[in-house]
């Protein structure tokens, strides 16, 4: 079974600094997708960034980038120049595509606090 | 933000009541999902649909039921609500076209409290 582990229940960062959120996953498949979602307090969950497992190049999206280590099954999220609006729960998720079926498995989340 | 909507946003009801949580999307997505999320916890898939008249149960057992009569709607029903159903319910959708991103877009959620 696929599992996703986020070992940091809570993290904090100073405004304008850089923070890295950890995520590891367990799978025997070679074709899959990885996502980071952001869920601000009482607001909608939104996609931050995604990575296809077959791509060696790490995905980037403005201030957000990932460090994808396929052999180590690691998928960390780096937030540069942190802003107050980055404060939220961040969920790492794994999507398995298999025979027309697809399921998204989430980690338990990391609560990020941004200090002014 | 994605064009996916959920109503009501908040619901407080008594035990034994029948409730329906609405979810609709205007993106024409074939695939839709329901997740259950307890406060501060991860999301668990309870139902999914790959198209009209197609519904499947997810990994987390749930007493709720779903229907998919129209592409854009994916309502979830609890015939007799109990306090154990208190949770947040999130609806999501994704494309199924070849070459699509398979990204799931989420609605704002319904926070359900059963007294």
């Amino acid at each position: 079974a696929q599992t996703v582990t986020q070992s940091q229940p809570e993290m904090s960062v100073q405004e304008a600094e850089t923070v890295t959120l950890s995520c590891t996953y367990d799978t025997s498949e070679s074709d899959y997708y990885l996502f980071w979602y952001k869920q601000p307090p009482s607001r909608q969950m939104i996609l931050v960034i995604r990575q296809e497992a077959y791509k060696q190049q790490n995905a980037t999206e403005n201030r957000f980038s990932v460090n994808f280590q396929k052999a180590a099954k690691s998928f960390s999220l780096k937030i540069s120049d942190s802003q107050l609006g980055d404060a939220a729960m961040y969920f790492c998720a794994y999507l398995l595509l298999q025979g027309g079926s697809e399921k998204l498995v989430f980690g338990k989340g990391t609560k990020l606090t941004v200090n002014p | 933000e994605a064009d996916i909507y959920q109503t009501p946003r908040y619901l407080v009801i008594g035990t034994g009541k029948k409730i329906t949580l609405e979810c609709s999307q205007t993106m024409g997505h074939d695939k839709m999902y329901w997740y259950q999320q307890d406060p501060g916890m991860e999301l668990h898939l309870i139902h999914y649909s790959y198209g009209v008249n197609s519904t499947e149960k997810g990994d987390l057992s749930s007493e709720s039921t779903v229907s998919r009569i129209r592409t854009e709607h994916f309502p979830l029903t609890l015939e007799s609500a109990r306090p154990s159903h208190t949770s947040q319910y999130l609806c999501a959708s994704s494309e199924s076209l070849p070459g699509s991103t398979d990204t799931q877009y989420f609605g704002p959620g319904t926070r359900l409290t059963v007294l």
Side-chain angles (χ1 to χ4, degrees), chain A residues 37 39 44 50 102 107-108, chain B residues 31 33 50 101 104 106:
Chain A
Y37 281 92
Q39 188 178 39
Q44 203 154 342
R50 58 171 267 148
E102 59 181 64
K108 292 185 181 296
Chain B
K31 298 178 180 178
Y33 314 82
Y50 288 165
T101 62
Q104 293 187 19
F106 285 82

Side-chain angles (χ1 to χ4, degrees), chain A residues 37-81:
Chain A
Y37 281 92
K38 169 186 177 182
Q39 188 178 39
S42 300
R43 291 184 61 189
Q44 203 154 342
M45 182 172 290
I46 59 174
L47 176 70
V48 175
I49 201 166
R50 58 171 267 148
Q51 174 83 41
E52 292 90 341
Y54 65 86
K55 289 186 177 179
Q56 293 185 340
Q57 186 174 6
N58 289 325
T60 63
E61 194 70 45
N62 300 317
R63 297 182 295 106
F64 299 88
S65 62
V66 298
N67 183 4
F68 174 48
Q69 301 289 329
K70 190 172 184 179
K73 298 179 183 177
S74 171
F75 183 60
S76 61
L77 174 70
K78 185 172 80 172
I79 306 174
S80 304
D81 187 25

Side-chain angles (χ1 to χ4, degrees), chain A residues 33 35 37 39 42-47 50 89 91 95 97 100-109, chain B residues 1-2 4 9 31 33 35 37 40-43 48 50 59 88 90 94 101-104 106-108:
Chain A
Y33 297 80
F35 302 84
Y37 281 92
Q39 188 178 39
S42 300
R43 291 184 61 189
Q44 203 154 342
M45 182 172 290
I46 59 174
L47 176 70
R50 58 171 267 148
M89 282 290 289
F91 291 95
L95 179 67
L97 301 176
S101 173
E102 59 181 64
K103 292 184 180 179
L104 198 57
V105 179
F106 286 85
K108 292 185 181 296
Chain B
E1 296 185 351
I4 181 165
R9 291 291 310 278
K31 298 178 180 178
Y33 314 82
Y35 293 88
Q37 183 187 28
M41 300 295 288
E42 70 269 43
L43 284 72
Y48 61 99
Y50 288 165
D59 296 327
Q88 175 162 249
L90 294 170
S94 66
T101 62
D102 301 301
T103 298
Q104 293 187 19
F106 285 82

Side-chain angles (χ1 to χ4, degrees), chain B residues 3-53:
Chain B
D3 296 326
I4 181 165
Y5 309 98
Q6 291 185 244
T7 57
R9 291 291 310 278
Y10 303 91
L11 181 61
V12 180
I13 60 168
T15 297
K17 299 292 185 182
K18 177 180 179 179
I19 60 168
T20 296
L21 308 184
E22 300 288 348
C23 174
S24 61
Q25 48 94 7
T26 59
M27 298 172 284
H29 288 171
D30 286 329
K31 298 178 180 178
M32 297 189 74
Y33 314 82
W34 276 103
Y35 293 88
Q36 185 173 340
Q37 183 187 28
D38 290 330
M41 300 295 288
E42 70 269 43
L43 284 72
H44 292 287
L45 181 68
I46 53 175
H47 298 284
Y48 61 99
S49 168
Y50 288 165
V52 171
N53 295 324

Side-chain angles (χ1 to χ4, degrees), chain A residues 2 25-34 51-56 68-71 73 94-99:
Chain A
Q2 288 74 35
Y25 58 94
D26 183 24
T27 184
S28 58
E29 302 297 326
S30 59
D31 185 19
Y32 51 89
Y33 297 80
L34 296 163
Q51 174 83 41
E52 292 90 341
Y54 65 86
K55 289 186 177 179
Q56 293 185 340
F68 174 48
Q69 301 289 329
K70 190 172 184 179
K73 298 179 183 177
Y94 165 99
L95 179 67
L96 171 66
L97 301 176
Q98 192 174 41

